[in-house]
């Protein structure tokens, strides 16, 4: 138990860095979305056109947030060393599984984004 706590304390700056990066990317996307929404609402376009543009942008922003956060988390998991208190190698097995599924998830988000652009 003490070894797990020591490992957590040694690696907590990396976790905090990941959370800070997540917050920055979320703030950037939300700020951009707010300016875009204001521009759309003030435009002379018809209401159905405005709503279509807003919905399309909301979908793109969601995909951007998910993809950016996924990349940040995968980078964090690559940086974290394996804990010394893992006798069954569960952490390393979980880390490999997460890397594989994370890459597939990111590729799926890219594919969804491309499909929405058509």
């Amino acid at each position: 138990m003490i070894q797990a706590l020591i490992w957590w304390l040694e690696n907590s700056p990396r976790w905090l860095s990941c959370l800070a990066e997540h917050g920055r990317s979320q703030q950037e996307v939300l700020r951009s979305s707010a300016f875009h929404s204001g521009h759309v609402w003030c435009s002379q376009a018809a209401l159905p056109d405005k709503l279509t543009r807003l919905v399309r942008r909301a979908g793109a922003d969601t995909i951007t947030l998910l993809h950016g956060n996924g990349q940040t988390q995968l980078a964090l998991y690559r940086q974290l060393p394996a804990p010394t208190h893992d006798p069954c190698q569960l952490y390393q097995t979980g880390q490999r599984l997460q890397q594989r599924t994370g890459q597939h998830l990111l590729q799926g988000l890219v594919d969804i984004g491309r499909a929405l652009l058509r």
Side-chain angles (χ1 to χ4, degrees):
M1 182 70 172
I2 296 296
Q3 289 176 336
L5 179 63
I6 290 171
W7 181 83
W8 174 254
L9 291 174
E10 288 174 349
N11 291 296
S12 61
R14 291 180 180 151
W15 290 103
L16 293 175
S17 170
C18 178
L19 286 173
E21 179 65 30
H22 169 72
R24 280 190 295 273
S25 68
Q26 190 174 29
Q27 184 182 32
E28 188 176 302
V29 170
L30 291 176
R31 185 182 308 129
S32 171
S33 178
F35 283 118
H36 178 263
S37 297
H39 178 72
V40 168
W41 283 116
C42 292
S43 71
Q44 298 296 322
L47 184 61
D49 293 335
K50 289 179 182 181
L51 293 176
T52 301
R53 289 169 58 189
L54 290 173
V55 167
R56 180 176 287 157
R57 177 63 185 251
D61 287 344
T62 301
I63 291 172
T64 300
L65 276 174
L66 290 172
H67 191 272
N69 294 338
Q71 283 182 324
T72 302
Q73 289 174 0
L74 286 175
L76 171 70
Y77 291 129
R78 282 187 211 110
Q79 293 174 4
L80 285 177
T84 57
H85 61 279
D86 191 14
C88 299
Q89 303 299 320
L90 292 176
Y91 180 83
Q92 290 178 350
T93 304
Q95 195 175 27
R96 283 193 302 270
L97 178 65
Q98 195 160 27
Q99 287 291 326
R100 278 196 307 264
T101 57
Q103 292 298 332
H104 290 297
L105 174 72
L106 291 178
Q107 185 57 45
L109 287 172
V110 169
D111 293 342
I112 290 171
R114 286 181 182 150
L116 290 176
L117 286 175
R118 295 182 196 151

